[in-house]
Amino acid sequence: MYGLAFRYADLSQNGGQRTGGIRSQPTPGSLDRYVAAVLKGHEGPLDFTVYVPSGYDSVGGSPVPNVQATADPGQIWTASFASGQERWGVAI
């Protein structure tokens, strides 16, 4: 879900500059480069948040950009974009 949310945010907010302009052919490695650049402070994060269960908001002790841990079962595995103006949900 994180990769899909990143791709959508890049296309809708950034013109696909990171992932490429062709929707069906994302640029390989773009997600890894984005995470590294945001964590190093080389660029600001895109405006999206993916909500995950508590404990899944970091990898190897490093926080994952655009991820927020929540204990709310109705919010887990959902995403928001544009300061919450658009939401993706998962029906369980």
Side-chain angles (χ1 to χ4, degrees):
M1 180 172 191
Y2 183 79
L4 293 173
F6 163 68
R7 176 85 168 124
Y8 176 74
D10 183 54
L11 286 168
S12 63
Q13 299 169 21
N14 199 30
Q17 290 182 13
R18 288 205 141 274
T19 60
I22 302 172
R23 290 183 186 264
S24 63
Q25 296 178 348
T27 303
S30 59
L31 179 57
D32 292 336
R33 287 188 297 277
Y34 168 76
V35 169
V38 171
L39 288 177
K40 291 177 183 175
H42 295 159
E43 73 175 63
L46 293 167
D47 187 2
F48 76 98
T49 303
V50 174
Y51 299 92
V52 299
S54 297
Y56 288 86
D57 53 338
S58 64
V59 175
S62 295
V64 179
N66 307 95
V67 169
Q68 183 175 329
T70 182
D72 179 352
Q75 208 174 21
I76 293 173
W77 304 124
T78 65
S80 67
F81 303 86
S83 300
Q85 293 179 8
E86 183 177 354
R87 297 194 63 81
W88 287 358
V90 176
I92 297 176

